[in-house]
Amino acid sequence: MNDSFVTIAEQMRTADTILLFTHINMDGDALGSSVALCRALRDLGKTCYILLEDEISDNLKFLDKDYCTWDPEIMKDPDLCVCLDCGEEGRFPKRAEKFREGKVKICIDHHRTSDPICDYNHIDPEASATGELVYKLIRCLDVPIDKEIGEALFAAITTDTGNFQYTNTTAETHRIAAELYDAGIDGNYVSIQIYERIRIERLRLTTRILDTLQLFGDGKVAITYVNQEMLDETGAGMDEAEGIVATLRSIDGVQISAILKEKNPGEIKVSMRAKEQGDVAMIAKEFAGGGHKKAAGFTLHCSMEEAVTLVSEKAMENLANGY
Ligand SMILES: [Mn+2]
């Protein structure tokens, strides 16, 4: 059962010190929703920070105006610890101990989970982005949404909806976006920061990865991979392979796409996407992974060649079963 935003807002009003957490490999939703909430809580006079354990990617740095810290000692025994866009300690492993220090713990997330870990949880898999949920929470906190909060929320929502293209995009998503425009956001500025500041190294890596593209099942399944050698050759980081899996899905006729990332020799992280057909959460579940019907991931322990074969077979089987 979800706790209402009214209940959660009440908890926030009575707290003085609040520490926010989000998942590793932050995306625009993770950081955008955290920044928006941090700013709103500071507007209410709270001492509030976002505690991180990894670096903010260059295209999201514009969001952090002194909200983020990497120092767990910044706050002793916070009144409240809030995890956003994630609901399990494995998503913030190095900060899990600090999270438990919170006198009260709250989770705000849109990833489906079977067992919520916090005292108060608002988990809504129907929400396109955690940013949508934070928008509603800020409304309950009675904090006016200004340009800065609005742009952070817009960054969150544009990221997780694939710029309002994915199936999770609803009338509600657009209504919230409209409210953000009314608050004075510059949507074009946010989009340029997020989408149009690509490093040349990233583009070179993309070229290398696309060279590995293989199609299976009459062109319905597209699979690529990236290994450490490609990173060394191009000077790009593994995080810069993000987004390619969505590009693959955009190929005409493709229903399921996958990118296989060699984290370590023999350890392969698989990210999958589905278009109109296919349920990649079903595949991920089989390998102890997680995600949504149209976007999911898991880890395999085998060679790249074996992984490509296995993933292609699972994808074709998934489509054949009518998902
Ligand atoms: Mn999200």
Side-chain angles (χ1 to χ4, degrees):
M1 238 332 243
N2 267 337
D3 295 291
S4 71
F5 286 128
V6 174
T7 305
I8 289 172
E10 199 45 50
Q11 286 296 318
M12 291 183 167
R13 268 195 213 96
T14 53
D16 290 321
T17 53
I18 303 173
L19 202 51
L20 307 183
F21 294 71
T22 190
H23 59 79
I24 45 172
N25 304 322
M26 278 166 286
D27 55 19
D29 187 31
L31 192 62
S33 56
S34 302
V35 163
L37 184 58
C38 191
R39 211 350 255 292
L41 290 169
R42 285 187 186 181
D43 285 352
L44 286 173
K46 313 295 177 188
T47 302
C48 186
Y49 286 94
I50 304 163
L51 179 64
L52 300 177
E53 66 189 77
D54 54 355
E55 288 302 310
I56 300 171
S57 61
D58 285 338
N59 67 336
L60 297 177
K61 282 193 174 131
F62 75 102
L63 292 167
D64 179 28
K65 301 190 176 94
D66 230 10
Y67 301 111
C68 297
T69 178
W70 286 261
D71 176 16
E73 296 310 310
I74 199 150
M75 227 181 259
K76 287 261 183 256
D77 303 317
D79 292 335
L80 267 187
C81 281
V82 185
C83 59
L84 293 135
D85 202 38
C86 56
E88 49 185 284
E89 292 184 350
R91 299 291 283 142
F92 42 93
K94 291 182 188 151
R95 293 161 290 164
E97 204 178 318
K98 186 72 191 180
F99 186 73
R100 280 180 237 131
E101 262 184 36
K103 289 171 199 147
V104 174
K105 290 171 274 298
I106 295 176
C107 173
I108 298 163
D109 191 15
H110 68 135
H111 296 92
R112 210 173 286 281
T113 179
S114 41
D115 78 296
I117 59 166
C118 293
D119 304 304
Y120 297 90
N121 299 281
H122 194 105
I123 299 161
D124 180 2
E126 300 296 311
S128 72
T130 299
E132 268 194 29
L133 302 175
V134 168
Y135 169 85
K136 290 173 185 169
L137 173 59
I138 292 175
R139 283 276 182 239
C140 280
L141 286 167
D142 261 334
V143 175
I145 291 180
D146 64 4
K147 187 168 191 274
E148 192 191 343
I149 292 178
E151 288 184 350
L153 291 175
F154 189 78
I157 294 169
T158 180
T159 300
D160 267 24
T161 58
N163 210 8
F164 302 92
Q165 291 184 66
Y166 297 161
T167 52
N168 60 6
T169 309
T170 62
E172 181 75 348
T173 315
H174 283 285
R175 263 180 226 118
I176 293 171
E179 293 285 334
L180 303 180
Y181 274 95
D182 284 342
I185 66 157
D186 184 341
N188 181 246
Y189 165 78
V190 174
S191 297
I192 288 172
Q193 300 310 305
I194 294 183
Y195 303 115
E196 299 187 6
R197 297 188 60 193
I198 294 173
R199 298 198 320 138
I200 189 70
E201 289 84 352
R202 182 182 188 132
L203 205 60
R204 291 201 175 105
L205 179 67
T206 301
T207 309
R208 288 296 314 271
I209 294 173
L210 291 180
D211 269 342
T212 72
L213 174 62
Q214 284 179 267
L215 293 170
F216 301 88
D218 291 330
K220 285 190 175 142
V221 176
I223 299 182
T224 53
Y225 64 83
V226 50
N227 57 30
Q228 294 293 326
E229 198 186 326
M230 297 180 194
L231 302 182
D232 293 342
E233 285 170 9
T234 57
M238 191 61 97
D239 59 310
E240 292 180 290
E242 214 66 50
I244 292 174
V245 68
T247 306
L248 295 185
R249 180 175 60 180
S250 70
I251 300 167
D252 187 26
V254 166
Q255 291 295 343
I256 293 182
S257 65
I259 182 165
L260 281 51
K261 299 173 186 170
E262 180 196 50
K263 289 275 168 177
N264 294 296
E267 184 190 345
I268 294 160
K269 206 177 156 246
V270 182
S271 298
M272 299 188 79
R273 296 290 183 275
K275 196 147 69 187
E276 292 156 302
Q277 299 159 23
D279 179 348
V280 289
M282 293 278 292
I283 299 172
K285 221 172 128 192
E286 231 181 284
F287 298 98
H292 311 284
K293 199 173 163 185
K294 301 298 177 192
F298 53 94
T299 301
L300 292 175
H301 296 274
C302 60
S303 73
M304 188 59 84
E305 215 183 320
E306 288 165 328
V308 170
T309 306
L310 182 62
V311 171
S312 64
E313 283 170 3
K314 289 291 169 191
M316 288 188 282
E317 193 185 299
N318 188 269
L319 291 173
N321 287 337
Y323 287 111

